[in-house]
Amino acid sequence: MATVKTATPVETRSLPPRILHGGDYNPEQWEHIPGTWDDDVRLMRLAGVTAASVGIFSWARLEPEEGRYDFGWLDRIVELLHGAGVRVFLATPSGAKPNWLALKYPEVRRCQPTGQREHQAGRHNHCPTSPVYRAKVQAINERLAVRYGAHPALALWHISNEYNGYCHCNLCFAAFQRWLEQRYGTVDALNRAWWTAFWSHTYRRFDEVTFIDGSVNGLWLDWKRFMSEQTADFLRAEIEPLRRHAPQVPVTTNFMGTYEGLDYQRLADVCDVTCWDSYPGWHGPATAGRADGEAEVALNTAFHHDLCRGFKRRPWILMESTPSHVNWAAVSRPKAPGMHRLASLQAVAHGAEAVCYFQWRKGLGGTEKFHGAVVDHVGHEHTRVFGEVAALGRDLRQLDALVGAKVGARAAVLYDWDNRWALEQAGMMRNQGKNYVETCLEHYRPLWRRGVAADVIGVQTDLSAYRLVIAPMLYMLKPGVAGRLEAFVRDGGVLLATYLTGLVDEHDLCFTTGRPGPLRQVFGVWAEETDAPEPGAVRLLPVAGNALGLTAAGQGGVFCDLVHAEAADVLATYGDEWYAGRPAVTLNRYGKGMAVYLATRPDAAFLDALTDRLLAAAGIEPALPTALPSGVNAQWRGDCLFLMNFSRGPRRIEIGNGWQDRLAGGTVPAALDLPAHGAFVLSRGGTPPAES
Ligand code: GLA
Ligand code: ZN
């Protein structure tokens, strides 16, 4: 396996200075229906489309037989789009393999964990190791780069599509064995790291690693790391010819939020810009009967937007969203009037520099023919969905000045793939309801409710930009992480960690220094045991006159660390069980900052109150001095304040005088009425509170 090196991404590889608007466009599906392409271009102008992702699944059309390429149709499409002022996000076609390739070279098809080779079917299922696949992909990518790399319409390389999944073929295992050898040097070191004397799993040679045994936790974890690394290496291989022929064009690959299988940070590091495909369940079961309407879905979506921004802490691209509904969910309802505008502006508020769709035009056949699209089967512009998309296009044109504008978050929530994998796989006192991702979201909720901008970041990220760092369930402390957190607190930061912090090192081997391991001094606590009662089963009682000013009692449960406050002050104690009176929340002043240990999973109100006190301690202001009405969110980006009403009813906000409406123009009243699903983008010329 050749490891391909590419140059470090540079800032000069940037997107056009516009908030782009467009989506996945599959003209090859329409070649046999005359006039469709011309009509597409006419409709794109009407919809204010400025970008189109082309070629994502076009391999069979671009290379119909091995080594016989046909770019004529793509030449024509690129010129048509260029003539209409539409920038091209040109995809590399590796997301789906043509039949000739999959049948002639079986090794490009994946193997299941059982070793069984897959049939040629579906998509997103190539072997990331196969030298044949890499060579074929590089050959076509190179031709694309030579042919279109200097074309003025080309704005971005869209690499493959939603990389996902694993391959268990012999090639992958051989590469894994070499990766392990590089990582551990000797098989003894591997045996120690994986604790293989357990159940007699000792390996004698690296080539004995031929099956992913979930009972060997270290192996399980290293396999996921390797598959992430192998995918990143495949991505580097895809990029290599593009960089060689078109070094000025930025590259991206589209993510799927917190998709479990791949450590996206490793992929993001290879790209110039990050992007993701966002399909929130608007109007779905999570919203039924709720006065705050879509707020739960909006909160979840915001978290994922902030994760996509957090990879590089730079603006990002909403690469896919549906203008209506999807076709793969149990139930997916069309976006109600106004919802599309609201959801799209939410993405821009969180740093998006493009709002794109899957898909431009609904195919007449195939499994996605009933997926929402800008252009319906009926083929004209006189549909509700088209009208909403076109109106959004006009709005986005008003926001071009936001390109490059930062969100400037002072708060961060840590989210880490290694930690998630290890925590989810570890058998412990409670295996039901660990809910790592959901817990990160619960900690993000109080920030979102106040319109406090937050980056969702990995544990390797530099923390100097933040005043508050929230580290939910940081079970694994990889090398350097504890040191960075310690320095953050010492330098004046406010750090919140929770139950199950600091149990294991990078190999999932337990620390012997007492939990939270290398953070014991920073938090001034030792967590000796953990109980696992039902949610809310144990009362949480604030200590009179506690340093953070917590006053309201709450309920804890799920996990209850039984903590000794060695140096920390106790802010709240447990009110029930045999550990009543013992610490539930502690605060340790350390250096110039403070480290707060939350020993249990509290109810939402308690967590909200605690986070409120931490924000105050960190000196982080909410988006507006007034509390936001239920279902309303506010986010600053650059000099713009986005006010978004996710509830089903009108909401009034007292924002005071002097605000300009950036979309409609003019000023807005001091008592601003937001209709249901309404959104405003305002500015007043001053410096926003959260800007860096
Ligand atoms: C993903 C894919 C698209 C399409 C959409 C449908 O995001 O990238 O090709 O299948 O899902 O929602
Ligand atoms: Zn393979």
Side-chain angles (χ1 to χ4, degrees):
M1 173 193 61
T3 298
V4 182
K5 292 246 179 299
T6 46
T8 316
V10 289
E11 296 275 354
T12 49
R13 280 195 281 272
S14 53
L15 287 160
R18 304 194 63 170
I19 301 292
L20 295 168
H21 184 217
D24 284 19
Y25 177 41
N26 304 298
E28 69 274 28
Q29 294 178 18
W30 299 92
E31 274 183 282
H32 61 296
I33 305 186
T36 312
W37 291 4
D38 289 331
D39 214 37
D40 281 331
V41 167
R42 180 187 71 83
L43 291 167
M44 284 181 190
R45 285 184 198 268
L46 283 179
V49 162
T50 50
S53 300
V54 181
I56 299 177
F57 299 114
S58 307
W59 199 338
R61 181 68 185 88
L62 289 169
E63 191 181 357
E65 301 292 341
E66 186 171 12
R68 181 166 72 77
Y69 296 94
D70 182 353
F71 294 106
W73 67 277
L74 188 53
D75 291 351
R76 289 196 295 284
I77 277 295
V78 169
E79 288 312 323
L80 263 179
L81 293 171
H82 184 48
V86 177
R87 304 300 300 270
V88 173
F89 295 172
L90 187 54
T92 65
S94 64
K97 333 177 259 339
N99 286 339
W100 62 257
L101 175 54
L103 298 177
K104 179 168 177 194
Y105 304 102
E107 70 164 69
V108 308
R109 288 185 259 136
R110 273 187 193 167
C111 287
Q112 297 287 329
T114 54
Q116 196 186 22
R117 181 83 58 194
E118 292 178 357
H119 290 283
Q120 157 70 343
R123 60 171 178 175
H124 300 162
N125 51 12
H126 63 263
C127 166
T129 306
S130 157
V132 169
Y133 201 61
R134 287 181 176 219
K136 296 292 176 195
V137 167
Q138 286 195 317
I140 193 158
N141 288 8
E142 173 148 23
R143 280 169 173 81
L144 289 170
V146 168
R147 199 168 186 100
Y148 304 104
H151 197 287
L154 180 62
L156 180 71
W157 293 112
H158 178 302
I159 310 293
S160 200
N161 197 63
E162 295 189 341
Y163 286 128
N164 67 80
Y166 304 153
C167 175
H168 295 76
C169 78
N170 292 338
L171 293 168
C172 283
F173 270 102
F176 184 39
Q177 291 155 8
R178 284 196 296 276
W179 186 84
L180 291 170
E181 200 164 352
Q182 261 185 1
R183 182 169 166 78
Y184 293 106
T186 67
V187 77
D188 281 351
L190 173 141
N191 280 313
R192 280 195 299 276
W194 289 0
W195 205 253
T196 54
F198 176 76
W199 290 357
S200 218
H201 283 308
T202 308
Y203 292 92
R204 294 168 306 159
R205 293 185 313 273
F206 287 102
D207 64 10
E208 284 187 348
V209 181
T210 53
F211 183 72
I212 307 310
D213 179 350
S215 74
V216 182
N217 285 179
L219 162 59
W220 179 263
L221 190 60
D222 272 346
W223 170 250
K224 286 172 170 287
R225 287 172 171 150
F226 163 73
M227 270 292 149
S228 300
E229 193 41 53
Q230 196 69 341
T231 305
D233 194 61
F234 186 87
L235 171 60
R236 280 191 289 270
E238 287 224 38
I239 293 170
E240 189 270 335
L242 311 179
R243 279 275 189 276
R244 206 154 16 88
H245 297 287
Q248 78 291 0
V249 181
V251 302
T252 192
T253 188
N254 46 342
F255 294 156
M256 299 178 283
T258 47
Y259 167 66
E260 186 267 353
L262 296 174
D263 178 351
Y264 279 157
Q265 185 67 58
R266 290 174 194 250
L267 273 63
D269 290 345
V270 183
C271 295
D272 297 305
V273 55
T274 53
C275 68
W276 85 287
D277 303 340
S278 173
Y279 294 102
W282 302 118
H283 322 303
T287 69
R290 291 184 61 115
D292 62 0
E294 308 300 320
E296 276 302 300
V297 181
L299 161 82
N300 189 301
T301 307
F303 176 86
H304 288 87
H305 289 339
D306 289 349
L307 173 70
C308 191
R309 190 184 68 244
F311 291 123
K312 289 192 162 311
R313 295 192 293 178
R314 285 217 294 271
W316 53 279
I317 291 173
L318 179 62
M319 190 57 91
E320 294 181 23
S321 61
T322 174
S324 176
H325 57 80
V326 300
N327 73 325
W328 42 259
V331 176
S332 174
R333 304 176 65 187
K335 283 169 163 166
M339 195 66 229
H340 180 59
R341 177 176 181 272
L342 176 61
S344 303
L345 290 176
Q346 184 195 23
V348 178
H350 286 263
E353 299 207 333
V355 173
C356 301
Y357 311 116
F358 180 85
Q359 50 190 333
W360 166 250
R361 184 187 277 274
K362 271 183 205 176
L364 304 184
T367 62
E368 291 185 323
K369 59 183 173 294
F370 297 124
H371 193 289
V374 180
V375 183
D376 183 70
H377 294 141
V378 77
H380 58 60
E381 66 271 36
H382 308 294
T383 63
R384 182 186 70 89
V385 167
F386 190 95
E388 300 224 3
V389 167
L392 179 76
R394 290 190 287 275
D395 278 339
L396 294 180
R397 218 173 305 153
Q398 308 305 314
L399 296 177
D400 286 344
L402 273 180
V403 168
K406 293 220 159 131
V407 169
R410 289 283 180 250
V413 177
L414 301 190
Y415 171 82
D416 182 63
W417 266 267
D418 284 334
N419 185 62
R420 174 179 180 180
W421 293 331
L423 178 64
E424 286 175 356
Q425 184 68 4
M428 53 170 66
M429 69 294 290
R430 169 188 278 278
N431 296 308
Q432 193 186 54
K434 285 181 194 161
N435 294 355
Y436 174 61
V437 183
E438 293 83 347
T439 303
C440 291
L441 263 159
E442 283 308 311
H443 282 271
Y444 177 87
R445 176 189 301 276
L447 306 176
W448 186 79
R449 268 177 29 88
R450 287 165 179 73
V452 169
D455 288 343
V456 180
I457 51 169
V459 295
Q460 312 296 354
T461 311
D462 170 47
L463 300 175
S464 54
Y466 306 111
R467 296 192 192 131
L468 172 65
V469 170
I470 298 174
M473 299 175 85
L474 196 56
Y475 159 86
M476 170 177 286
L477 292 174
K478 291 182 276 192
V481 175
R484 250 193 311 281
L485 290 172
E486 197 239 323
F488 169 73
V489 179
R490 203 183 46 225
D491 295 346
V494 176
L495 173 64
L496 175 72
T498 72
Y499 50 94
L500 298 188
T501 294
L503 271 70
V504 301
D505 68 10
E506 62 171 326
H507 302 299
D508 205 15
L509 292 175
C510 297
F511 293 119
T512 54
T513 49
R515 291 152 44 188
L519 288 173
R520 184 166 168 181
Q521 256 208 315
V522 177
F523 285 96
V525 297
W526 170 38
E528 184 185 349
E529 293 183 73
T530 301
D531 188 18
E534 288 309 293
V538 184
R539 278 175 303 154
L540 304 175
L541 307 174
V543 172
N546 67 78
L548 273 187
L550 296 175
T551 51
Q555 305 287 327
V558 187
F559 291 104
C560 294
D561 275 0
L562 306 183
V563 161
H564 301 276
E566 296 176 319
D569 295 331
V570 179
L571 302 179
T573 58
Y574 292 120
D576 296 297
E577 285 291 349
W578 48 273
Y579 38 88
R582 289 185 59 178
V585 187
T586 64
L587 182 154
N588 198 34
R589 292 186 194 279
Y590 186 90
K592 290 191 235 153
M594 59 170 72
V596 173
Y597 196 86
L598 174 61
T600 186
R601 185 175 294 172
D603 64 82
F606 190 90
L607 186 57
D608 190 76
L610 174 63
T611 311
D612 187 68
R613 303 321 306 145
L614 295 174
L615 286 166
I620 299 176
E621 302 281 337
L624 285 170
T626 49
L628 299 170
S630 143
V632 171
N633 185 245
Q635 296 283 327
W636 281 95
R637 180 174 176 197
D639 65 347
C640 284
L641 174 68
F642 288 68
L643 287 175
M644 299 164 277
N645 180 9
F646 294 98
S647 76
R648 296 212 177 93
R651 295 285 189 270
R652 170 166 290 192
I653 314 183
E654 304 287 343
I655 50 163
N657 288 313
W659 294 92
Q660 313 286 321
D661 187 329
R662 293 286 287 255
L663 298 177
T667 54
V668 294
L672 181 61
D673 289 316
L674 282 99
H677 300 164
F680 283 88
V681 183
L682 307 176
S683 64
R684 63 187 320 172
T687 312
E691 183 56 283
S692 50

Coordinates of all heavy atoms in Angstrom, one line a residue, residues 531-576:
D531 N -22.0 4.1 40.6 CA -23.3 3.4 40.7 C -24.1 3.7 39.4 O -23.7 4.6 38.6 CB -24.1 3.9 41.9 CG -25.4 3.1 42.1 OD1 -25.5 1.9 41.6 OD2 -26.3 3.5 42.8
A532 N -25.1 2.8 39.1 CA -25.8 3.0 37.8 C -27.3 2.9 38.1 O -28.0 2.1 37.5 CB -25.4 1.9 36.9
P533 N -27.8 3.9 38.8 CA -29.3 3.9 39.1 C -30.1 4.4 37.9 O -29.5 4.8 36.9 CB -29.4 4.9 40.3 CG -28.3 5.8 40.1 CD -27.1 5.0 39.5
E534 N -31.4 4.3 38.0 CA -32.2 4.8 36.9 C -32.1 6.3 36.7 O -31.8 7.0 37.7 CB -33.7 4.3 37.1 CG -33.9 2.9 36.9 CD -33.3 2.4 35.6 OE1 -33.9 2.8 34.5 OE2 -32.3 1.6 35.6
P535 N -32.4 6.8 35.5 CA -32.4 8.3 35.3 C -33.2 9.0 36.4 O -34.3 8.6 36.7 CB -32.9 8.5 33.9 CG -32.9 7.2 33.3 CD -32.9 6.1 34.3
G536 N -32.7 10.0 37.0 CA -33.4 10.8 37.9 C -33.7 10.2 39.3 O -34.4 10.7 40.1
A537 N -33.0 9.1 39.6 CA -33.4 8.3 40.8 C -32.8 9.0 42.1 O -33.2 8.7 43.2 CB -32.9 6.9 40.7
V538 N -31.8 9.8 41.9 CA -31.0 10.3 43.1 C -31.1 11.9 43.1 O -30.8 12.5 42.1 CB -29.5 9.9 43.0 CG1 -28.8 10.3 44.3 CG2 -29.4 8.4 42.8
R539 N -31.6 12.4 44.3 CA -31.7 13.8 44.3 C -30.3 14.5 44.4 O -29.3 13.9 44.9 CB -32.4 14.3 45.6 CG -33.9 14.2 45.4 CD -34.6 14.5 46.7 NE -34.2 13.6 47.8 CZ -34.2 13.8 49.1 NH1 -34.6 15.0 49.5 NH2 -33.8 13.0 50.0
L540 N -30.2 15.7 43.8 CA -29.0 16.5 43.9 C -29.3 17.7 44.7 O -30.2 18.5 44.3 CB -28.6 16.9 42.4 CG -28.4 15.7 41.5 CD1 -28.1 16.2 40.0 CD2 -27.3 14.8 41.9
L541 N -28.5 17.9 45.8 CA -28.8 19.0 46.7 C -27.7 20.0 46.7 O -26.6 19.6 47.2 CB -29.1 18.4 48.1 CG -30.1 17.3 48.2 CD1 -30.2 16.7 49.6 CD2 -31.5 17.8 47.7
P542 N -27.9 21.2 46.3 CA -26.9 22.2 46.3 C -26.4 22.5 47.8 O -27.3 22.5 48.7 CB -27.5 23.5 45.7 CG -28.6 23.0 44.9 CD -29.1 21.7 45.6
V543 N -25.2 22.7 48.0 CA -24.6 23.0 49.3 C -24.9 24.5 49.6 O -24.6 25.3 48.7 CB -23.1 22.7 49.4 CG1 -22.5 23.2 50.7 CG2 -22.9 21.2 49.2
A544 N -25.4 24.8 50.7 CA -25.7 26.3 51.0 C -24.5 27.1 50.8 O -23.4 26.7 51.2 CB -26.2 26.4 52.5
G545 N -24.6 28.2 50.1 CA -23.6 29.2 49.9 C -22.4 28.7 49.0 O -21.3 29.1 49.1
N546 N -22.8 27.7 48.1 CA -21.7 27.1 47.3 C -21.1 28.2 46.3 O -21.8 29.1 45.9 CB -22.2 25.9 46.5 CG -23.3 26.2 45.5 OD1 -23.0 26.7 44.4 ND2 -24.5 26.0 45.9
A547 N -19.9 27.9 45.9 CA -19.2 29.0 45.2 C -19.8 29.4 43.8 O -19.5 30.5 43.3 CB -17.7 28.5 44.9
L548 N -20.5 28.5 43.2 CA -21.1 28.8 41.9 C -22.5 29.4 42.0 O -23.1 29.9 41.1 CB -21.2 27.6 41.0 CG -20.0 27.2 40.1 CD1 -20.3 26.1 39.2 CD2 -19.4 28.4 39.4
G549 N -23.0 29.4 43.3 CA -24.4 30.0 43.5 C -25.5 29.1 42.9 O -26.5 29.5 42.5
L550 N -25.3 27.8 42.9 CA -26.3 26.8 42.6 C -27.4 26.8 43.7 O -27.0 26.6 44.9 CB -25.8 25.4 42.4 CG -24.8 25.2 41.2 CD1 -24.3 23.8 41.3 CD2 -25.5 25.5 39.9
T551 N -28.6 26.9 43.3 CA -29.6 27.0 44.4 C -30.7 25.9 44.3 O -31.2 25.4 45.3 CB -30.3 28.3 44.4 OG1 -30.8 28.6 43.1 CG2 -29.4 29.4 44.9
A552 N -31.1 25.5 43.0 CA -32.2 24.6 42.9 C -31.7 23.2 42.9 O -30.7 22.8 42.3 CB -32.9 24.9 41.5
A553 N -32.5 22.4 43.7 CA -32.2 20.9 43.7 C -32.5 20.3 42.4 O -33.3 20.8 41.6 CB -33.0 20.3 44.8
G554 N -31.9 19.2 42.1 CA -32.2 18.5 40.8 C -32.2 17.0 41.1 O -32.3 16.5 42.2
Q555 N -32.2 16.2 40.0 CA -32.2 14.8 40.0 C -31.1 14.3 39.2 O -30.8 14.7 38.1 CB -33.5 14.2 39.4 CG -34.8 14.8 40.0 CD -35.0 14.2 41.4 OE1 -34.7 13.0 41.7 NE2 -35.6 15.0 42.3
G556 N -30.4 13.3 39.7 CA -29.3 12.7 39.0 C -29.6 11.2 38.8 O -30.5 10.6 39.3
G557 N -28.7 10.5 38.0 CA -28.9 9.1 37.8 C -28.1 8.6 36.6 O -27.2 9.3 36.2
V558 N -28.4 7.4 36.2 CA -27.7 6.7 35.1 C -26.3 6.3 35.5 O -26.0 5.1 35.5 CB -27.7 7.6 33.7 CG1 -27.1 6.7 32.6 CG2 -29.1 8.1 33.4
F559 N -25.5 7.3 35.7 CA -24.1 7.0 36.3 C -24.0 8.0 37.5 O -24.3 9.2 37.4 CB -23.0 7.3 35.3 CG -23.0 6.3 34.2 CD1 -23.4 6.7 32.9 CD2 -22.5 5.0 34.3 CE1 -23.4 5.8 31.8 CE2 -22.4 4.1 33.3 CZ -22.9 4.5 32.0
C560 N -23.6 7.4 38.6 CA -23.3 8.3 39.8 C -21.9 7.9 40.3 O -21.7 6.9 40.9 CB -24.3 8.0 40.9 SG -25.9 8.6 40.6
D561 N -20.9 8.7 39.9 CA -19.5 8.5 40.4 C -19.6 8.8 41.9 O -20.2 9.8 42.4 CB -18.5 9.5 39.8 CG -18.0 9.0 38.4 OD1 -18.4 7.9 38.0 OD2 -17.2 9.7 37.8
L562 N -18.9 8.0 42.7 CA -18.8 8.2 44.1 C -17.4 8.8 44.4 O -16.4 8.1 44.3 CB -19.0 6.9 44.9 CG -20.3 6.2 44.5 CD1 -20.5 5.0 45.3 CD2 -21.5 7.2 44.6
V563 N -17.4 10.1 44.6 CA -16.2 10.9 44.5 C -15.7 11.3 45.9 O -16.5 11.6 46.8 CB -16.6 12.1 43.7 CG1 -15.6 13.3 43.9 CG2 -16.7 11.8 42.2
H564 N -14.4 11.3 46.1 CA -13.8 11.9 47.3 C -13.3 13.3 46.8 O -12.5 13.4 45.9 CB -12.6 11.1 47.7 CG -12.9 9.7 48.1 ND1 -13.4 9.3 49.3 CD2 -12.9 8.5 47.4 CE1 -13.6 8.0 49.3 NE2 -13.3 7.5 48.2
A565 N -13.7 14.3 47.5 CA -13.3 15.7 47.2 C -11.9 15.8 47.9 O -11.9 16.2 49.1 CB -14.3 16.7 47.7
E566 N -10.9 15.6 47.2 CA -9.5 15.6 47.8 C -9.0 17.1 47.9 O -8.5 17.4 49.0 CB -8.5 14.8 46.9 CG -8.9 13.4 46.9 CD -8.0 12.5 46.0 OE1 -7.7 13.0 44.9 OE2 -7.7 11.4 46.3
A567 N -9.2 17.9 46.9 CA -8.9 19.3 47.0 C -10.0 20.2 46.6 O -10.0 21.4 46.9 CB -7.7 19.6 46.1
A568 N -11.1 19.6 46.0 CA -12.2 20.4 45.4 C -13.2 20.8 46.5 O -13.3 20.1 47.5 CB -12.9 19.6 44.4
D569 N -13.9 21.9 46.2 CA -15.0 22.3 47.1 C -16.3 21.5 46.6 O -16.4 21.3 45.3 CB -15.3 23.8 46.9 CG -14.2 24.6 47.5 OD1 -13.5 24.1 48.4 OD2 -14.0 25.7 47.0
V570 N -17.1 21.2 47.5 CA -18.4 20.4 47.1 C -19.5 21.5 46.8 O -19.8 22.3 47.7 CB -18.8 19.4 48.2 CG1 -20.1 18.7 47.7 CG2 -17.6 18.5 48.4
L571 N -20.0 21.4 45.6 CA -21.1 22.4 45.3 C -22.5 21.8 45.5 O -23.4 22.5 45.8 CB -21.0 22.8 43.8 CG -19.7 23.4 43.3 CD1 -19.8 23.7 41.8 CD2 -19.4 24.7 44.1
A572 N -22.6 20.5 45.3 CA -23.9 19.8 45.5 C -23.6 18.3 45.9 O -22.5 17.8 45.6 CB -24.7 19.8 44.3
T573 N -24.5 17.8 46.7 CA -24.3 16.4 47.2 C -25.5 15.5 46.7 O -26.5 16.0 46.3 CB -24.3 16.3 48.7 OG1 -25.5 16.9 49.2 CG2 -23.1 17.1 49.3
Y574 N -25.3 14.2 46.8 CA -26.4 13.3 46.5 C -27.3 13.3 47.7 O -26.9 13.5 48.9 CB -25.8 11.9 46.4 CG -25.0 11.7 45.1 CD1 -23.7 11.2 45.2 CD2 -25.6 11.8 43.9 CE1 -22.9 11.0 44.1 CE2 -24.8 11.6 42.7 CZ -23.5 11.2 42.8 OH -22.7 11.0 41.7
G575 N -28.6 13.2 47.4 CA -29.6 13.3 48.5 C -30.2 11.9 48.8 O -31.1 11.8 49.7
D576 N -29.8 10.9 48.1 CA -30.4 9.6 48.3 C -29.4 8.5 48.2 O -28.2 8.8 48.0 CB -31.5 9.3 47.2 CG -32.7 10.3 47.3 OD1 -33.3 10.2 48.4 OD2 -32.8 11.1 46.4

